[in-house]
Amino acid sequence: MADVEAAPDLADPPQTIAFQGTYGAYSDLACRRVFPEMATLPCAQFEDAFAAVREHRAALAMIPIENSVAGRVADIHHLMPTSKLHIVAEWFLPIRNQLMAPEGATLKSIKSVESHVMALGQCRKIIRQLKLKPIVAADTAGSAREVAESKDVTRAAIASRLAAEIYGLNILKENVEDETSSTTRFVVLSKEKKWAKPDNRKVITTFVFRVRNVPAALYKALGGFATNGVNMTKLESYMIGGNFFATQFYADVEGHPDDRALVLALEELAFFSKELTILGVYAAHPFRETFKEETD
């Protein structure tokens, strides 16, 4: 798969890129693939990764936003608008889960498997087949590290190939995910606003908005995208401030804010919205060209 177009130019000079998790996490793997010249900085929480960029301890942050099987990553949509960071690129990473264990372990010796709840959910078939006890852990790479430190041949972990290399675990079975189509979408965040140029490349504009409290406000707010032929590739709602009535919407559309069609659509959206914030304008990753809609 091709890297993010012109990705190295996003960090000049090459520095550090932050991610949530432990060394060997899928976010770490994504960082190394997109920005191999940058050092990776593990952070305990997403907020810590955002803070690392704001405080100039990292030039960029690589954040997972959704998975094709498991759906959106919890917390990200309401954290990003308040992070004071900007989306400058996107990246799609196929998820390949590896079943790993300490030296000396075999498929017959392992009795339990540890990983993040999403990874365990993506590998139900192999867990049932081997009659393993699933143990939920904070993250995939952290599970690999703990299993490696235990040196217990009855314990296994599900994590990335990178995690197996870092923590010295043997891969007992490769690519154990139930669905080979599992792919995680990441966004690259920067403190600096770096909008893609309006040229011949496909561009994605990401924004959040809250509609006014008027009848059919959402329907009216989105009407401009249909009438102006703007393709909206994502629309999600989530509550903010712990209130059922305070709903914010997160959206991705194809097009640049300087394009005439998107200018008109955003004007109509703004008229019916009490808040509208553009989070980023960036080149669409080539993986989007593989999207196919099933037809009857």
Side-chain angles (χ1 to χ4, degrees), residues 18-21 41-55 57-58 61-64 74-76 78-80 82-85 189:
F19 68 94
Q20 186 276 326
L41 175 66
C43 300
Q45 306 293 334
F46 288 120
E47 293 94 325
D48 299 326
F50 296 154
V53 178
R54 287 196 303 270
E55 296 166 4
R57 289 182 285 113
M62 177 77 75
I63 302 295
D75 299 334
I76 288 301
H78 76 260
L79 288 174
M80 282 202 306
T82 60
S83 69
K84 298 181 181 179
L85 302 179
L189 302 177

Side-chain angles (χ1 to χ4, degrees), residues 231-296:
N231 185 27
M232 180 171 286
T233 61
K234 174 173 288 295
L235 178 65
E236 293 191 353
S237 64
Y238 55 97
M239 291 177 289
I240 57 176
N243 298 312
F244 284 102
F245 60 84
T247 302
Q248 186 155 277
F249 295 88
Y250 174 99
D252 291 338
V253 297
E254 293 180 355
H256 194 284
D258 290 342
D259 295 343
R260 178 64 176 167
L262 190 49
V263 167
L264 295 174
L266 290 176
E267 285 180 353
E268 192 161 342
L269 174 65
F271 181 79
F272 291 102
S273 299
K274 59 193 304 184
E275 294 178 17
L276 171 60
T277 303
I278 293 180
L279 299 180
V281 180
Y282 47 95
H285 190 274
F287 186 80
R288 285 181 177 269
E289 298 301 320
T290 69
F291 294 177
K292 294 181 180 179
E293 183 178 1
E294 293 184 1
T295 58
D296 294 334

Side-chain angles (χ1 to χ4, degrees), residues 3-295:
D3 286 355
V4 170
E5 193 167 346
D9 295 337
L10 296 175
D12 187 20
Q15 300 176 48
T16 298
I17 182 166
F19 68 94
Q20 186 276 326
T22 307
Y23 285 121
Y26 287 103
S27 294
D28 185 19
L29 177 59
C31 289
R32 297 180 190 219
R33 285 193 178 178
V34 184
F35 301 100
E37 77 287 357
M38 298 181 75
T40 60
L41 175 66
C43 300
Q45 306 293 334
F46 288 120
E47 293 94 325
D48 299 326
F50 296 154
V53 178
R54 287 196 303 270
E55 296 166 4
H56 300 286
R57 289 182 285 113
L60 302 169
M62 177 77 75
I63 302 295
I65 194 167
E66 59 192 329
N67 177 270
S68 60
V69 175
R72 74 183 184 189
V73 176
D75 299 334
I76 288 301
H77 291 74
H78 76 260
L79 288 174
M80 282 202 306
T82 60
S83 69
K84 298 181 181 179
L85 302 179
H86 305 272
I87 302 175
V88 294
E90 66 175 355
W91 167 261
F92 291 83
L93 177 72
I95 301 300
R96 299 293 177 261
N97 291 305
Q98 315 301 322
L99 179 65
M100 58 194 69
E103 185 176 354
T106 66
L107 290 176
K108 291 184 178 180
S109 73
I110 57 175
K111 304 300 181 185
S112 63
V113 60
E114 305 167 34
S115 195
H116 187 275
V117 63
M118 289 179 64
L120 293 174
Q122 293 169 3
C123 304
R124 290 189 179 93
K125 291 181 181 179
I126 188 68
I127 293 173
R128 288 198 303 269
Q129 177 186 335
L130 298 178
K131 298 180 180 179
L132 301 176
K133 178 184 177 182
I135 299 176
V136 176
D139 58 67
T140 56
S143 300
R145 181 187 61 201
E146 292 183 6
V147 167
E149 291 173 350
S150 76
K151 298 181 181 179
D152 185 344
V153 296
T154 68
R155 294 173 64 180
I158 290 177
S160 69
R161 189 177 299 275
L162 175 63
E165 295 172 359
I166 291 175
Y167 301 113
L169 292 173
N170 293 331
I171 296 178
L172 302 182
K173 196 169 183 61
E174 298 180 326
N175 305 335
V176 295
E177 61 277 353
D178 297 341
E179 300 289 341
T180 58
S181 60
S182 178
T183 303
T184 296
R185 179 188 175 214
F186 293 83
V187 291
V188 181
L189 302 177
S190 170
K191 188 174 182 179
E192 305 300 324
K193 177 181 174 182
K194 300 176 182 179
W195 282 14
K197 296 180 180 180
D199 50 28
N200 293 327
R201 293 181 300 172
K202 181 182 289 187
V203 171
I204 303 298
T205 296
T206 296
F207 55 90
V208 291
F209 66 96
R210 290 178 61 188
V211 294
R212 293 161 50 195
N213 188 21
V214 295
L218 180 60
Y219 174 80
K220 295 174 181 176
L222 298 180
F225 295 95
T227 56
N228 289 286
V230 176
N231 185 27
M232 180 171 286
T233 61
K234 174 173 288 295
L235 178 65
E236 293 191 353
S237 64
Y238 55 97
M239 291 177 289
I240 57 176
N243 298 312
F244 284 102
F245 60 84
T247 302
Q248 186 155 277
F249 295 88
Y250 174 99
D252 291 338
V253 297
E254 293 180 355
H256 194 284
D258 290 342
D259 295 343
R260 178 64 176 167
L262 190 49
V263 167
L264 295 174
L266 290 176
E267 285 180 353
E268 192 161 342
L269 174 65
F271 181 79
F272 291 102
S273 299
K274 59 193 304 184
E275 294 178 17
L276 171 60
T277 303
I278 293 180
L279 299 180
V281 180
Y282 47 95
H285 190 274
F287 186 80
R288 285 181 177 269
E289 298 301 320
T290 69
F291 294 177
K292 294 181 180 179
E293 183 178 1
E294 293 184 1
T295 58

